[in-house]
């Protein structure tokens, strides 16, 4: 099976759930502790050795481009001050070949993916949504790596499946399961944000995928609903003909495009960081005692 060498990160949404900050700051630039979300996402690609990354940005998202570009003054200063550790942090964004394309009108996720057509050149690619943070502990397999392995075995478009229960089911795309074998879920139907009663299983679709080469052309043939083309419509067609699989994953997922998810991610990362752990743990205990 051909190795996946390209990744697409859609980061051009309007971020209406996170106004007013998203008026001027694109959601993927919101910082979790000291790093913008989008940098964590790009770093996930180290686990699958993907270097070529396309970020789909909205017009005027210069701050994302700046983050991945050179900062000559800063880098010179860090080097001359002997702050090599900080210099390496500044360089961390530069080991990937990051390019950008503008999505002129925010007409949905499928619209963002179509902007990547010239970049993917008919090849399968990794798709990572710019507002979800996936975190694997040492010894765990990162989600995108697991998906690439499943794609390698099956050659089929591969989704990440997260188990959710109750009312939360209606927040996500949902999968119908034909069979499950060796950790691979064979999907036979997709429904978009079902009510609890209409859900096909407890498996929700989250923002990590390996997208097969055929999907780009499929998106062009789909009929828009509410003026939008839905990626899940393409998945449903693939599912019906037995060409869609999914897998669970190790580690945690944070929806940083949602206020509560964003705060949770910051708390968790502050507790992971040696620099802040003690102080924040004490602070949380103090607060919790008063709840
Ligand atoms: P969301 O569904 O979270 O939409 O997008 P959104 O516009 O970013 O945020 P809300 O719901 O209005 O608060 C999921 C992912 O798809 C990207 C977003 O940047 C995010 O990473 N996206 C969405 C695009 O790139 N273009 C779009 O037109 C829509």
């Amino acid at each position: 099976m051909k190795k996946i060498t390209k990744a697409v990160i859609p980061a051009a949404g309007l971020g209406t759930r996170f106004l007013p900050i998203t008026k001027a700051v694109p959601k993927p630039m919101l910082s979790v502790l000291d790093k913008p979300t989008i940098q964590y996402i790009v770093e996930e690609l180290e686990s699958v050795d993907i270097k070529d990354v396309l970020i789909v940005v909205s017009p005027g998202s210069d701050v994302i481009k700046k983050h991945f570009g050179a900062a000559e003054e800063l880098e010179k200063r860090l080097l001359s001050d002997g702050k090599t550790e900080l210099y390496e942090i500044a360089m961390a964004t530069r080991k990937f070949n990051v390019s950008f394309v503008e999505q002129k009108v925010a007409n949905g996720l499928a619209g963002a993916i179509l902007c990547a057509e010239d970049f993917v050149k008919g090849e399968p690619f990794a798709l990572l949504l710019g507002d979800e943070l996936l975190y694997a502990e040492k010894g765990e397999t990162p989600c995108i790596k697991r998906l690439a392995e499943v794609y390698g075995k099956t050659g089929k478009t591969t989704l990440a499946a997260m188990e959710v229960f109750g009312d939360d089911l209606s927040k996500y795309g949902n999968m119908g399961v034909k069979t499950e074998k060796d950790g691979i879920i064979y999907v036979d139907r997709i429904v978009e944000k079902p009510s609890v009663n209409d859900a096909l299983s407890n498996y929700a679709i989250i923002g990590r995928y390996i997208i097969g080469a055929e999907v780009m052309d499929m998106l062009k043939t789909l009929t828009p609903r509410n003026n939008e083309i839905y990626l899940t419509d393409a998945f449903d067609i693939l599912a019906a003909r037995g060409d869609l699989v999914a897998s669970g994953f190790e580690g945690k997922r944070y929806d940083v495009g949602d206020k509560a998810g964003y705060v949770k991610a910051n708390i968790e990362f502050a507790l992971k960081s040696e620099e802040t752990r003690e102080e924040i743990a004490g602070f949380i205990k103090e607060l919790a005692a008063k709840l």
Side-chain angles (χ1 to χ4, degrees), residues 68-236:
F68 287 96
E72 278 164 31
E73 271 309 302
L74 172 68
E75 285 161 18
K76 249 198 296 188
R77 169 66 72 86
L78 292 174
L79 267 189
S80 71
D81 290 354
K83 295 184 173 161
T84 51
E85 206 181 307
L86 291 177
Y87 173 74
E88 276 154 27
I89 290 171
M91 293 297 285
T93 44
R94 308 256 298 275
K95 53 187 171 198
F96 297 92
N97 307 318
V98 182
S99 52
F100 301 90
V101 64
E102 274 188 10
Q103 183 184 6
K104 300 271 186 277
V105 183
N107 60 351
L109 176 57
I113 295 168
L114 282 168
C115 295
E117 194 177 9
D118 290 346
F119 170 79
V120 299
K121 293 198 179 71
E123 289 178 33
F125 60 95
L127 175 69
L128 301 92
L129 299 195
D131 56 356
E132 288 183 38
L133 200 62
L134 273 280
Y135 183 84
E137 297 283 354
K138 266 207 178 88
E140 291 181 329
T141 305
C143 178
I144 198 70
K145 184 160 194 229
R146 169 68 189 152
L147 300 187
E149 283 168 6
V150 172
Y151 179 81
K153 281 186 191 150
T154 62
K156 298 176 194 289
T157 290
T158 307
L159 313 180
M162 181 174 78
E163 271 196 284
V164 295
F165 299 92
D167 288 343
D168 280 349
L169 280 162
S170 60
K171 293 185 191 159
Y172 302 88
N174 185 263
M175 307 173 200
V177 178
K178 186 161 181 248
T179 48
E180 262 187 86
K181 198 165 172 269
D182 301 329
I184 300 175
I185 301 162
Y186 292 82
V187 182
D188 61 4
R189 246 188 91 193
I190 293 290
V191 286
E192 177 74 21
K193 301 185 175 166
S195 66
V196 187
N197 292 334
D198 293 337
L200 306 169
S201 72
N202 287 105
Y203 289 135
I205 304 174
I206 59 137
R208 296 292 180 273
Y209 319 75
I210 302 294
I211 302 289
E214 69 276 33
V215 172
M216 200 60 96
D217 282 340
M218 284 173 79
L219 290 178
K220 286 189 261 178
T221 65
L222 293 174
T223 315
R225 295 184 278 124
N226 317 320
N227 291 324
E228 225 182 85
I229 307 164
Y230 284 83
L231 180 60
T232 41
D233 285 353
F235 290 159
D236 194 34

